[in-house]
Amino acid sequence: MRTQVGIIGAGPAGLLLSHLLHLQGIDSVVLESRSREQIESTIRAGVLEPGTVDLLAEAGLGARMKAEGTVHDGFELAFGGKRRRVDLVELTGKAITVYAQHEVLKDLVAARCAADGALYFNVSGTTIDGIDSDAPSIRFQHSGAEHTLHCDFVIGCDGSQGVSRAAIPEALRQDYEKVFPFGWFGILVEAPPSSDELVYAHHDRGFALVSTRSSTVQRMYFQCDPKDSVNAWSDDRIWAEMHTRVDTEDQQVIEGRIFQKNIVGMRSFVSTKMQHGRLYLTGDAAHIVPPTGAKGLNLAVSDVRVLTAALQEFYRSGREHLLEAYSETALRRIWRAEHFSYWMTRMMHRLDGVSPFEQQLQIAELEHVTTSRSALTALAENYVGTSAV
Ligand code: PHB
């Protein structure tokens, strides 16, 4: 088998890259270890920055997103029994769109299939060879047969646990990591929206977030022990916690049938460089952000945007300067988002083990951020993604 660009991983990064390359007349093959059903049903976050929305729309992927996604002009920060609105449109001129990642994924799979794109699911035993040469290859098994995919470039879009990052020799990599001592308990609920906009709540008992998926399905989270078990949480116990952390005198969380529960750990991670020889990493394969800033998917999309332009330049003119600069270019935006996500996480969560002095500083920061126009603007710019390089 031969293609120009071999892509490992059919998450948003891998599929979007394949689709954008196709629009430029560049051939690719996507290999995925999971099944189509698995990737299309994996529940992830749902906030799309305007830049992400524009790119998806320009690539012809906007129809369902525009019809089924919801545009939010702002969100709310709740603490000390009150809610304060962050008016994104007034502060930045931009809004965000809430549209679940697995819906973006379905649109991408459909677009690749409609274009007869080569997309292999249920692939196993993937190994990468020859990235130090200009003729790298990927070996894998599919439907009981061994295959070798010869290509010009290998792109690792296979997430933090994938094989791609490990193909860059450890001695050449610098990994940076911060593991948070808390996690998020996430639920999907059959109920009308509790609020017109997302609510990020800081409370003595811990953080909580009210998000949405549609007029009938809501997504909510609350800070928990990452080692806790989903089974330890009855529906009653979950609702008691959500009410305590989020309700104000005149606004209450609306209960409904909980049909999905999960716990996710929280960490920040960056692996540099994001390239070695003919191997390039995108999205979670190279970096992780805690979900508080809603940046994960948006960062993957911006990596893909940078890499597509670099590959396009290479195939158009043979020049490699954009490819050589890929890691450095992508990392500017990534570190900005890492800082923002870390900052939001530290400001919004209950931080066990910090001194009472530091707890008071956290409240002082929330007061400042929600009352100073310049501080609010900085928050809003980061949230919509316009402060990025
Ligand atoms: C979500 O809707 O899943 C969501 C929204 C905002 C976040 C994280 C997750 O910051």
Side-chain angles (χ1 to χ4, degrees):
M1 288 169 85
R2 165 137 197 108
T3 189
Q4 290 174 296
V5 181
I7 298 173
I8 304 176
L15 290 168
L16 180 62
L17 178 65
S18 177
H19 181 71
L20 295 179
L21 291 175
H22 164 73
L23 296 179
Q24 302 298 332
I26 300 167
D27 192 50
S28 67
V29 172
V30 181
L31 308 174
E32 169 59 53
S33 60
R34 293 166 300 164
S35 68
R36 178 172 178 174
E37 295 66 39
Q38 271 174 302
I39 64 158
E40 288 189 350
S41 61
T42 306
I43 304 294
R44 303 287 290 272
V47 171
L48 306 184
E49 293 174 358
T52 300
V53 169
D54 290 348
L55 186 138
L56 293 174
E58 281 161 24
L61 298 160
R64 232 165 48 87
M65 173 180 71
K66 298 265 174 199
E68 293 175 27
T70 340
V71 174
H72 289 227
D73 290 350
F75 65 88
E76 291 191 296
L77 286 176
F79 67 100
K82 54 192 181 260
R83 288 191 191 176
R84 294 204 170 131
R85 182 150 190 268
V86 182
D87 190 330
L88 297 171
V89 169
E90 199 233 335
L91 294 161
T92 70
K94 309 259 185 208
I96 51 119
T97 298
V98 179
Y99 185 58
Q101 176 168 325
H102 67 273
E103 301 297 340
V104 175
L105 227 112
K106 284 186 208 165
D107 297 342
L108 283 163
V109 172
R112 290 315 296 131
C113 291
D116 279 333
L119 177 47
Y120 293 84
F121 291 104
N122 302 306
V123 156
S124 60
T126 306
T127 52
I128 305 168
D129 301 297
I131 53 172
D132 288 313
S133 74
D134 56 9
S137 60
I138 308 170
R139 276 181 293 151
F140 63 98
Q141 284 142 30
H142 185 254
S143 298
E146 288 273 351
H147 300 273
T148 303
L149 174 65
H150 298 277
C151 36
D152 301 331
F153 299 97
V154 176
I155 316 298
C157 308
D158 50 348
S160 61
Q161 309 300 324
V163 299
S164 302
R165 190 176 62 252
I168 300 182
E170 218 166 309
L172 299 179
R173 258 175 28 220
Q174 171 106 44
D175 292 354
Y176 302 88
E177 186 175 40
K178 159 85 191 163
V179 178
F180 295 94
F182 42 77
W184 278 12
F185 196 113
I187 55 172
L188 278 167
V189 187
E190 238 173 56
S194 291
S195 151
D196 291 341
E197 297 181 330
L198 269 57
V199 183
Y200 289 81
H202 170 88
H203 190 274
D204 288 347
R205 293 189 57 82
F207 171 77
L209 170 61
V210 175
S211 181
T212 183
R213 286 291 175 266
S214 70
S215 57
T216 53
V217 174
Q218 310 312 318
R219 182 74 167 142
M220 301 181 196
Y221 302 92
F222 57 93
Q223 178 181 351
C224 68
D225 179 343
K227 292 190 281 300
D228 210 338
S229 146
V230 162
N231 299 327
W233 287 84
S234 68
D235 292 8
D236 286 348
R237 190 174 166 215
I238 290 171
W239 289 122
E241 208 60 51
M242 284 303 296
H243 285 303
T244 307
R245 297 187 193 189
V246 181
D247 286 1
T248 55
E249 249 168 47
D250 45 2
Q251 281 163 303
Q252 279 91 41
V253 169
I254 300 175
E255 296 183 21
R257 186 179 73 85
I258 299 174
F259 62 94
Q260 213 256 357
K261 301 178 186 177
N262 70 326
I263 293 178
V264 288
M266 307 264 288
R267 74 187 178 112
S268 300
F269 174 76
V270 180
S271 181
T272 63
K273 286 171 74 165
M274 291 166 62
Q275 65 194 87
H276 176 66
R278 287 290 180 109
L279 171 65
Y280 295 77
L281 305 178
T282 72
D284 287 6
H287 45 80
I288 298 287
V289 283
T292 326
K295 290 286 159 222
L297 173 60
N298 297 293
L299 276 187
V301 168
S302 89
D303 288 353
V304 167
R305 181 202 302 269
V306 174
L307 190 55
T308 303
L311 288 167
Q312 193 187 338
E313 176 68 14
F314 174 81
Y315 282 110
R316 197 183 58 81
S317 69
R319 297 181 66 200
E320 299 198 24
H321 64 293
L322 294 181
L323 281 170
E324 279 159 16
Y326 167 68
S327 190
E328 205 186 318
T329 309
L331 281 166
R332 280 200 288 273
R333 165 129 217 244
I334 291 158
W335 277 114
R336 175 88 289 298
E338 288 287 351
H339 174 261
F340 174 64
S341 306
Y342 175 89
W343 172 78
M344 273 281 272
T345 300
R346 298 266 315 173
M347 180 170 74
M348 297 308 297
H349 287 74
R350 172 191 160 129
L351 305 173
D352 288 325
V354 305
S355 65
F357 178 81
E358 287 161 302
Q359 284 168 10
Q360 292 307 310
L361 289 185
Q362 199 183 24
I363 303 295
E365 181 158 39
L366 274 164
E367 282 290 348
H368 170 65
V369 163
T370 51
T371 50
S372 149
R373 189 172 170 91
S374 59
L376 258 181
T377 306
L379 166 63
E381 283 174 350
N382 277 283
Y383 196 80
V384 300
T386 54
S387 74
V389 285

